[in-house]
Amino acid sequence: MSDVSTIELADELEGVLPPFRSARLIGHERCFDLLIRQLNDNRLPGGILVHGPKGIGKATLAYQLAIDVLTKTGDEPRARVVEQVGQGVHPNLYTLQRQPRDSGTGFYAEIRVDDVRKTLRHLQQTRGRAGHRFLIVDAMDDCNRNAANALLKTLEEPPSQTHIVLVSHRPGRLLPTIRSRCQAHAMRTLSDEQVKQVLLGTNLDSKELDEAVCLAGGRPRRAFQALIMGQNDLLVSLENWLKSPIGHDGDRLLKLAEGLADKKNTMANSFAREMIMEWIAQNIKTAAIGIPCNRQAVSSANALWEQANMLFQQTDTYNLDTKQCLIILFDQIIAH
């Protein structure tokens, strides 16, 4: 890992500690305790996949596990390991993330194969310190196909005493061969009380805290985003529309799409995408568990889910018009 003073993470939130600096893990006790038992029994696998909704603490769990592995298998006290991980300088800990562009500003849209190969070469070299080595891929969903294939070869024959943790928000989109070579752990959203614990120390009054927790939906990252944005009329308008997406005039939806597409509202746009995808997912669930199951509604919602994913992916990959993407999606939601 690079020195923390030079690290700029692609998904970093201003004023929020990144996962490698987090002092504690809130929730996910069952998953973490199982991995620690495997570590203590010398059965921790070489490939581990932790998956679940974005912003629930998957990367934080990965770094906390890394601290335990580096402490148990190394020759330094835990406090020293924690310090080095927090500064991004532990020689046995590696990360793969989207990197800053070589020219201009911003980050690459993907984890590139050259980044993967460079990191894997380090894993094949003589380690700089006693103990096991640890690689965190955050997130595996960001790897392009060539990068994923390069990682697959290492997962098939991992170096000795090396653990690779893949963080994924959408495991269903990973290569089946990658999933089959990892021990998978599904992680769920947190309770409202656990989200409050994550937010402690942010100097909020009770109303601000409750509003952030409500918008979070069990995802601490979304709670922090809500706090950074404050009261956002665009998201309130979207939330109200999603409660009843029929009967709203086109001008209001056009203005909503224009506002979310504005470059100054990048965070609100990201937040809106998650709200839309969660609305579609809830539609699928509601139709599927109905008695009797409404198969037509399930089929329609599934098709809407696939279309929304495709629209968002193409918009990001090919830098398409965000406004047009949202207008198309709004029309399809109304049709559903």
Side-chain angles (χ1 to χ4, degrees):
M1 295 175 61
S2 303
D3 190 303
V4 69
S5 63
T6 63
I7 287 181
E8 291 183 322
L9 304 179
D11 59 352
E12 186 175 0
L13 296 178
E14 184 179 355
V16 180
L17 290 177
F20 65 93
R21 286 184 176 176
S22 296
R24 57 179 181 163
L25 175 69
I26 302 296
H28 313 302
E29 293 86 356
R30 183 176 180 180
C31 174
F32 189 73
D33 290 347
L34 173 60
L35 291 168
I36 292 301
R37 287 199 300 271
Q38 291 179 331
L39 171 63
N40 292 334
D41 294 339
N42 294 317
R43 295 186 296 107
L44 191 66
I48 301 169
L49 170 64
V50 291
H51 60 89
K54 185 175 182 178
I56 61 172
K58 300 185 298 296
T60 299
L61 180 143
Y63 281 103
Q64 292 299 315
L65 177 62
I67 289 171
D68 279 283
V69 170
L70 298 173
T71 301
K72 180 178 175 60
T73 64
D75 56 5
E76 293 187 311
R78 182 181 180 85
R80 177 59 177 158
V81 172
V82 170
E83 179 184 6
Q84 290 178 89
V85 170
Q87 292 178 349
V89 295
H90 197 289
N92 285 354
L93 176 60
Y94 303 85
T95 60
L96 273 171
Q97 297 170 315
R98 291 191 290 125
Q99 296 297 305
R101 294 186 180 277
D102 295 329
S103 60
T105 60
F107 293 80
Y108 287 105
E110 301 173 316
I111 295 176
R112 301 165 299 168
V113 65
D114 288 344
D115 299 325
V116 174
R117 288 171 177 165
K118 179 179 179 181
T119 299
L120 296 181
R121 283 196 296 270
H122 287 306
L123 289 179
Q124 298 293 343
Q125 297 172 357
T126 302
R127 69 198 69 192
R129 183 165 299 162
H132 292 193
R133 285 177 292 197
F134 210 91
L135 168 62
I136 298 173
V137 185
D138 183 19
M140 188 64 201
D141 315 84
D142 293 334
C143 289
N144 62 33
R145 191 168 187 85
N146 289 335
N149 283 326
L151 272 170
L152 174 60
K153 295 178 181 179
T154 299
L155 286 169
E156 290 172 341
E157 297 181 19
S160 175
Q161 299 181 338
T162 299
H163 309 282
I164 302 174
V165 176
L166 311 181
V167 174
S168 175
H169 316 310
R170 298 178 181 176
R173 300 178 65 180
L174 302 182
L175 294 173
T177 44
I178 285 182
R179 297 199 305 268
S180 68
R181 283 162 175 77
C182 295
Q183 182 184 91
H185 297 269
M187 295 172 60
R188 309 300 181 192
T189 53
L190 303 184
S191 68
D192 287 352
E193 186 58 38
Q194 288 172 326
V195 174
K196 286 184 179 181
Q197 292 181 42
V198 177
L199 296 179
L200 289 179
T202 49
N203 297 320
L204 301 175
D205 60 37
S206 59
K207 182 180 180 181
E208 290 176 317
L209 182 62
D210 290 341
E211 289 177 350
V213 170
C214 181
L215 284 173
R219 307 181 186 193
R221 178 181 175 84
R222 282 185 57 175
F224 284 118
Q225 287 177 313
L227 293 174
I228 292 172
M229 290 185 295
Q231 180 70 19
N232 190 288
D233 292 338
L234 291 170
L235 297 180
V236 172
S237 179
L238 176 62
E239 183 179 24
N240 291 333
W241 179 70
L242 287 174
K243 292 177 181 177
S244 179
I246 300 176
H248 285 66
D249 63 81
D251 287 341
R252 286 185 60 187
L253 291 181
L254 180 60
K255 290 180 180 178
L256 178 58
E258 287 177 343
L260 291 172
D262 194 312
K263 291 184 178 180
K264 68 181 181 182
N265 293 323
T266 301
M267 185 176 293
N269 181 26
S270 175
F271 207 104
R273 288 188 180 193
E274 293 184 4
M275 291 172 63
I276 292 171
M277 297 307 296
E278 288 180 359
W279 182 88
I280 299 174
Q282 185 59 46
N283 269 256
I284 297 173
K285 181 179 179 180
T286 300
I289 65 176
I291 302 176
C293 172
N294 190 334
R295 295 187 177 182
Q296 184 177 0
V298 172
S299 177
S300 174
N302 275 325
L304 182 59
W305 175 272
E306 294 297 331
Q307 184 68 10
N309 272 310
M310 183 186 71
L311 281 169
F312 289 145
Q313 183 178 11
Q314 289 180 343
T315 299
D316 293 341
T317 302
Y318 303 111
N319 196 27
L320 302 180
D321 187 354
T322 299
K323 171 186 167 183
Q324 188 62 32
C325 165
L326 290 171
I327 291 174
I328 293 172
L329 189 52
F330 290 161
D331 287 341
Q332 292 179 345
I333 289 175
I334 293 172
H336 163 70

